[in-house]
Amino acid sequence: MNKIFNAFIVLIAIQSSDVFSQQVVEETVVVTSALVDINTIDKPLYVIDGDEILDGSTSSLGAAIDGYLGISIADYGSAVGQPIIRGMSGSRVKILKNGMVNRDVSFLGADHLNDLDLNDIAQIEIVKGPSSLLYANGSIGGIINVVDDCIAQMDFDGAEFAAGYETQSVNDGSSEYFNYKNNLNGFNVNFGYKNSEFGNYDIPNGAVMHEEHHDEEHEGEEHEGEEHEEHEENMGYLNNSDYMSEATKFGISKTGDWGYIGLSVDNIESMYGIPFHGEEHEEHEGEEHEGEEHEGEEHEEHEDERIFSTTDSESITLKGSYNANGSLFNKVDYTYRKSDYSLTEQHAEEEHEGEEHEDEEHEGEEHEEHTPTLFLNKSSEYGAIFDVSKSGISQKISFNFVDEDTSIFGEEAFMNPANNRELTLGYFMSKDFESYNIDFGARLDDVVRTGSVSHEDGNADKYDIDNRTSSYAFSIGKDLNSNLNVNLGFASVERLPSVIELFMNGPHLATGRFEVGNPNLNSETSNNIDITFNYENGDYYAIASFFMNDVNNYITLMDESDEDHGDEDHDDEDHGDEDHGDEDHDDHGHGNLIHANYIQENAEFDGYEIEFGRTVELGAGELTLSFGRDVVNAQFADGHNVPRINPARNIYSLSYAQNDLTFRLNLKDVEKQSSFGEGETATDGYQMLNSRLTKTYEISGKGVLKISLFGNNLLDEAARNHSSFVKDEVPLPGKNYGMKFNLTF
């Protein structure tokens, strides 16, 4: 492997005020990456306390973080919520578990979940912008780090047992969990278990939208004036939106003046429905449906089809720290993780019941042919961070190596097996002066992507792509006065194309496209400027961040026009001069899927996040009012819009706290998205009103009972997420009431 590396770093900003609004929890734990201390971590850091997760409704990781300024999700039903940070998504945003990348297969499909257990977590850390590359290769958008103490770094103070139960109305769901911690003969033991079962979730009437594609096939008397626009389905629930999960974890550790060492084993098994697949209308082209049967059914023949995925994730982690206090380094933090992840996507037999298609050839054979598709990801990762701080300057050197194999087998095997190896060296420095601080970081990466692309003649082109990147970041923070702090940061960061962007070549039903990668793609280069102001004066606070991110060679999936398809050479397939007009490339086995290619264009992202609020002391308790707004604009160099960019959002929050009682009311006002990309449509705005009431009771001095009542989407809005590939077919859940109990002793 040719050496080198990917550069970079963190700007680290301000040690802003102790008041952080609803967006940032006031008291934080430590950042588990061990690369930087919490008091120097860069300004767009959000730390969501574990109690926020514990008290709220059980949900996916994406749903847990959606609504924090600058952060949104691309949802695909209740289980799937791919995170988006400042308009960046996919492999540009890394999901970490205790400082190491969580290596599932979410990067392979919009319908793949981030398989993480949110039971008994200490906090969720969110770092926005390319400064997050300090943590992971190519994360020019940011990182989300889920932190737990499964491997305890400090001794447990006696035994602790916790158990909880939750119910939800929107999906008739329930969840139960328990956790046990204790120090047994000098060893810290941690065990956790959680089981969740949620059915299909309720949606407001008319929330599901479909485009009509029936034109000439239906001969039409029923569809005449519809112009193939959207039609509503008045369904009370979203089919295939169910979710089940069972998670267990066990950790053991030993601590001392020398440091700590521990081992953990995690397992998550889940099953979740896929509410929509791009193939749903593929088989019914034409002549068979003479128009008479379709009035009210609106594709009801597919309601009995069960499309779902099952996952099985196993990981073993060895983690520790050694206090050397030597001449070469002060301390070393080290980690090893081995992960084995599988996802199986399946179609259950569809029953057409015969009455709608009597004279056709459908008698069930078309949908019974589906065979499962198996996605596998196996990885080993080694990491070490050496503290070499001297004379008031914090300095750390990091080393990391990853070996990852990705394979797909079965019907939707859109990519041949691929291997990814990453070798990283990083350096970080931080220096505090009287009224300002300086931070600098650099990262060097050597990344090897190995894969192949098959052709229709059975031959395959093999690729062994070895690329080197260097990235860096610099920031300076200054206290302008006792109330106001400003931080200015700059970063230049490279991201190498992912294996799917390089080697993809097949039908991807989750996006409704036949996707084609490009092994000749260049690395993306992000040049990011970020300025953040933090203000605090008594009961008042304000935070404002402005950013501009120029990305050279931005990689995007671009739909191919009919003209492009007719003119271009697609892997020498001899398309001749055929007219591909309305056939949607049927002759190439693409069905009704849109042909799309991974291409590169320069792009610019800019925007801002602002929040201000005030805390008022009442006779009993305190009331906090706040307002936040985030905006992202993203355009390619030729002026057209980057697709699936969330619209502007306004977030109003009211919270009240009195001793053992807390109440929160939150309104997320999402504006209409009219600046959409090619192949997209405008998306209406919506208002999401959520609330939560939590009461804590002490039980005879031996335990604590916490009861939470919550309500989500109280206005029962028919909401659609513009960043989702299936925004019309998969709306957000309707009104949801729930209750949660947690007992700890």
Side-chain angles (χ1 to χ4, degrees), residues 562-744:
D562 297 332
E563 295 79 10
D564 291 337
H565 192 77
D567 295 341
E568 292 179 3
D569 176 18
H570 295 289
D571 298 322
D572 300 316
E573 292 173 12
D574 189 25
H575 294 304
D577 296 320
E578 314 142 62
D579 177 15
H580 295 284
D582 295 327
E583 298 169 7
D584 282 319
H585 317 300
D586 284 347
D587 47 343
H588 301 291
H590 301 179
N592 280 350
L593 303 180
I594 301 168
H595 196 104
N597 302 300
Y598 283 97
I599 65 169
Q600 293 187 294
E601 296 185 61
N602 294 341
E604 180 178 302
F605 294 72
D606 61 70
Y608 62 86
E609 297 133 19
I610 60 172
E611 181 178 0
F612 55 88
R614 183 187 181 187
T615 299
V616 181
E617 296 287 343
L618 303 178
E622 64 179 26
L623 178 70
T624 300
L625 302 171
S626 68
F627 168 79
R629 176 175 172 85
D630 61 9
V631 174
V632 178
N633 303 301
Q635 290 185 326
F636 293 109
D638 63 1
H640 69 280
N641 296 310
V642 176
R644 288 174 291 282
I645 298 298
N646 265 3
R649 304 181 304 176
N650 304 298
I651 300 175
Y652 307 84
S653 181
L654 178 154
S655 60
Y656 174 79
Q658 177 189 2
N659 298 325
D660 51 10
L661 178 70
T662 61
F663 173 76
R664 175 173 294 174
L665 187 67
N666 182 276
L667 176 65
K668 181 169 66 176
D669 177 25
V670 180
E671 298 180 4
K672 180 177 180 178
Q673 181 56 288
S674 301
S675 301
F676 47 86
E678 293 185 7
E680 294 186 306
T681 59
T683 304
D684 291 337
Y686 62 88
Q687 294 180 326
M688 191 69 66
L689 181 65
N690 301 328
S691 68
R692 187 176 74 225
L693 175 68
T694 301
K695 175 71 173 177
T696 303
Y697 301 90
E698 290 192 8
I699 304 175
S700 305
K702 296 182 179 181
V704 174
L705 174 64
K706 184 180 288 188
I707 301 176
S708 294
L709 305 176
F710 56 84
N712 298 327
N713 193 6
L714 296 177
L715 303 177
D716 203 30
E717 286 268 307
R720 299 176 182 84
N721 185 350
H722 183 78
S723 60
S724 172
F725 276 98
V726 288
K727 63 172 185 174
D728 294 332
E729 297 86 359
V730 184
L732 299 178
K735 186 186 303 180
N736 184 25
Y737 299 108
M739 180 178 291
K740 202 166 188 177
F741 303 88
N742 184 76
L743 177 63
T744 304

